[in-house]
Amino acid sequence: PLNFETSGDRYGWSKGYDGRFHLGLFIEGGRIVDSHDYKLRTAMREVAQVHDGEFRLTGNQNLVLSNIDPEKKAKIESILEQYGVLDKTFRQTAMRQHSLACVALNTCTLAFAEAERYLPTLLDHVEILLRKYGLETEPINIRMTGCPNGCARPYLAEIGFIGKAPGRYNLYLGAAHNGERLNKLYQEQLDEAGILKTLEPIFADFSKNRSSDERFGDFVIRQGYVKSTEQGRQFHD
């Protein structure tokens, strides 16, 4: 029987039944662009000159180079290593690898707050807390949108942020890691300092008191931070 264990993507190499290879790559914010220190777009253009399989976009804004000819695997890997693409994928914290944001400001006219342009910066600060409590390898789903329409599926995040005003977000906790349970509102109108102040004691509690293999979303329910949303109509309870 089919069993979903995560709503995230698989990163790295895998081999298909037909002998061809697939490579999952982390693309922050889904943006394939060149920056001054990371030439991702240039790398993808060079791969496209070699690769005769597909470029598959995932529902989590990441990229899969699929159906790679075994004879071309080494060349493609060499290009990605040259531009640091593989290093960029694997040196991220597990939380950043499970992050998702909508475009929000300044692209979407519905947005009240930033999302895609702000979440990476917020994660820089959150990751300091994760490392402090030994949680940098813990795959916690974190998602942010600039308004309640929820285009990045924040209501299915173990940690979800909904923009309410510039620099202010409602914080939701308690969704299932595999996507089978909605989260619930925990705090309203938090700025960055408030977000970090709110999350730190929860991370400390999780690090110290979690059960074996317990997911963050399940833990915050067991510890009473939020109630479990067993049905959609319980979302606002």
Side-chain angles (χ1 to χ4, degrees):
L2 184 64
N3 179 38
F4 285 98
E5 296 180 356
T6 178
S7 59
D9 291 331
R10 177 187 295 175
Y11 298 109
W13 290 102
S14 61
K15 188 175 183 179
Y17 68 92
D18 57 359
R20 286 181 169 255
F21 290 89
H22 311 274
L23 177 61
L25 298 173
F26 171 70
I27 310 294
E28 188 158 34
R31 296 290 180 176
I32 299 178
V33 296
D34 281 353
S35 62
H36 71 282
D37 60 348
Y38 183 46
K39 305 298 182 183
L40 176 61
R41 183 172 181 174
T42 298
M44 291 300 103
R45 287 186 178 274
E46 290 195 18
V47 168
Q49 300 301 312
V50 178
H51 182 38
D52 58 3
E54 299 93 40
F55 290 80
R56 296 182 180 177
L57 309 180
T58 80
N60 293 314
Q61 302 175 340
N62 295 308
L63 181 65
V64 180
L65 305 182
S66 63
N67 286 316
I68 297 173
D69 188 325
E71 296 182 358
K72 298 180 178 181
K73 178 177 181 289
K75 177 61 177 176
I76 290 174
E77 189 169 39
S78 176
I79 294 171
L80 298 175
E81 288 178 345
Q82 175 187 346
Y83 289 100
V85 176
L86 294 180
D87 181 60
K88 183 77 170 181
T89 290
F90 292 112
R91 66 183 172 87
Q92 306 297 336
T93 62
M95 174 181 280
R96 192 178 293 260
Q97 289 180 336
H98 286 74
S99 63
L100 196 64
C102 71
V103 294
L105 295 175
N106 63 347
T107 301
C108 180
T109 57
L110 300 177
F112 302 132
E114 296 274 10
E116 178 193 331
R117 296 193 299 176
Y118 172 56
L119 182 57
T121 302
L122 176 62
L123 282 171
D124 289 341
H125 301 297
V126 172
E127 285 173 338
I128 294 174
L129 301 180
L130 295 177
R131 293 187 173 95
K132 179 178 179 180
Y133 297 104
L135 299 173
E136 61 269 25
T137 62
E138 183 64 28
I140 301 172
N141 294 333
I142 184 168
R143 297 174 181 175
M144 174 179 285
T145 60
C147 83
N149 287 285
C151 292
R153 308 187 299 280
Y155 306 111
L156 287 171
E158 292 172 282
I159 300 175
F161 296 101
I162 308 295
K164 299 297 291 182
R168 296 279 177 171
Y169 300 85
N170 286 358
L171 169 61
Y172 292 75
L173 299 175
H177 185 75
N178 65 0
E180 292 183 346
R181 182 183 62 243
L182 294 169
N183 54 24
K184 198 173 293 292
L185 179 64
Y186 181 63
Q187 294 284 348
E188 296 186 81
Q189 296 280 1
L190 295 175
D191 59 8
E192 183 174 288
I195 289 170
L196 299 176
K197 183 179 180 180
T198 301
L199 288 179
E200 180 167 9
I202 302 176
F203 287 155
D205 190 14
F206 180 56
S207 176
K208 182 179 180 180
N209 297 312
R210 65 182 297 193
S211 301
S212 178
D213 298 325
E214 187 175 28
R215 297 293 192 181
F216 183 81
D218 300 326
F219 174 81
V220 295
I221 291 172
R222 181 172 65 81
Q223 290 291 83
Y225 291 102
V226 292
K227 295 180 180 179
S228 178
T229 302
E230 299 298 330
Q231 302 179 38
R233 62 187 179 184
Q234 297 174 348
F235 179 69
H236 294 290
D237 289 351

